[in-house]
Amino acid sequence: MMINDVDFPEDVKTKICKNGLFDEDFYLSNFPEKNIENPLNHYLTVGWKDGLNPSCLFDTSGYINNYDYKKSFNKNEIIFNENEICDTISIVIDGEVKISSFTYNGNEIIFNRLKSNNMFGQSLLFSSLPYYKGKVIASKKSIIAFIKKDKLIKLLNTNNLYESFLNIISDDILSSKEEIRMLSFSNITDRLLYLLHIHKEIKYKSITELSFRLKVSREALSKCISKLVLRQIITNEGKCIKLIKNL
């Protein structure tokens, strides 16, 4: 994706429009021979892509260089296709993203859901096979920031962040291994108890969210939890499940 394909970030548009960061006379000085009817709109649609500043108070290039670019995506819009090469780390600034693929029968399999401040692509970026294993799709209107590999390396070198970055990668690997181990159990009870043995307790926002984590249906999980509570194996209070007795 090139910078010319990118929408002007909504958060910066609001900042410029509401905080007096656009100086019409300053901006028009870039075009002494042109008659621009709406200078602000010209900057928001064209000028910023050319690196022009809206005033002496805002550095367009400096802002853009913090990320390689940001882009907004509408609901169900594809961000990356399956098997597309991963050459950025991507950060969900706002909204929600899912990574999914389809079986030969056409059934969708959702691998992951990502919300604000979640990151994706970090494990693929330095891989020998840096290709997305599924489609990356905006589940709802979202803003994504993208950082290219060379920019990331420069940031890590400049700020001595390699250890923190490696911690993130290591946590991703451990989480993936935990999920693979959990999915090796064929029934819901074993999956739930496996996670409880590791974490001692599981906090969740909704049964739907927890069922996605366990890769089971919401209805089946609700029945399983109710049975284990009746058998006094777990407690389920305040959206927190705790193990109180081993089987």
Side-chain angles (χ1 to χ4, degrees), residues 101 166 197:
S101 187
L166 289 174
H197 277 295

Side-chain angles (χ1 to χ4, degrees), residues 27-68:
Y27 185 70
L28 288 175
S29 68
N30 293 291
F31 311 97
E33 299 178 0
K34 287 187 179 181
N35 181 23
I36 297 175
E37 293 184 2
N38 189 330
L40 176 58
N41 184 65
H42 185 275
Y43 171 73
L44 295 176
T45 56
V46 179
W48 76 278
K49 294 181 182 179
D50 294 331
L52 299 177
N53 294 328
S55 70
C56 62
L57 301 175
F58 187 86
D59 180 4
T60 300
S61 296
Y63 174 80
I64 292 173
N65 287 334
N66 284 330
Y67 301 105
D68 281 290

Side-chain angles (χ1 to χ4, degrees), residues 1-142:
M1 286 179 284
M2 301 296 293
I3 192 70
N4 288 332
D5 299 323
V6 180
D7 298 327
F8 194 87
E10 290 297 326
D11 57 336
V12 183
K13 182 187 292 186
T14 301
K15 180 179 179 181
I16 289 173
C17 293
K18 290 187 175 181
N19 295 337
L21 295 178
F22 186 81
D23 183 329
E24 185 170 308
D25 291 335
F26 178 93
Y27 185 70
L28 288 175
S29 68
N30 293 291
F31 311 97
E33 299 178 0
K34 287 187 179 181
N35 181 23
I36 297 175
E37 293 184 2
N38 189 330
L40 176 58
N41 184 65
H42 185 275
Y43 171 73
L44 295 176
T45 56
V46 179
W48 76 278
K49 294 181 182 179
D50 294 331
L52 299 177
N53 294 328
S55 70
C56 62
L57 301 175
F58 187 86
D59 180 4
T60 300
S61 296
Y63 174 80
I64 292 173
N65 287 334
N66 284 330
Y67 301 105
D68 281 290
Y69 50 86
K70 287 183 183 179
K71 185 175 181 181
S72 61
F73 294 86
N74 293 320
K75 182 178 180 180
N76 295 326
E77 187 174 354
I78 296 173
I79 301 169
F80 293 108
N81 280 299
E82 189 167 352
N83 295 320
E84 185 173 346
I85 191 167
C86 172
D87 60 358
T88 65
I89 276 186
S90 305
I91 304 167
V92 183
I93 302 298
D94 188 36
E96 183 178 291
V97 167
K98 68 177 179 180
I99 302 175
S100 66
S101 187
F102 290 86
T103 66
Y104 289 111
N105 296 323
N107 298 318
E108 185 179 27
I109 302 172
I110 299 175
F111 301 133
N112 204 357
R113 290 188 186 274
L114 304 160
K115 298 184 178 181
S116 294
N117 298 319
N118 287 163
M119 184 166 53
F120 61 94
Q122 65 272 23
S123 298
L124 291 173
L125 191 60
F126 295 94
S127 168
S128 59
L129 294 171
Y131 303 98
Y132 283 100
K133 309 305 184 220
K135 281 187 178 180
V136 184
I137 303 170
S139 302
K140 56 185 180 183
K141 188 173 178 63
S142 302

Side-chain angles (χ1 to χ4, degrees), residues 180-212:
I180 291 169
R181 173 62 175 153
M182 180 195 70
L183 294 176
S184 70
F185 297 107
S186 59
N187 65 72
I188 302 171
T189 299
D190 287 343
R191 290 185 184 184
L192 182 60
L193 293 179
Y194 168 71
L195 289 182
L196 283 169
H197 277 295
I198 294 175
H199 301 290
K200 307 305 178 186
E201 66 179 32
I202 300 173
K203 294 181 180 180
Y204 60 94
K205 293 180 180 179
S206 68
I207 290 295
T208 299
E209 177 190 59
L210 184 56
S211 66
F212 172 78

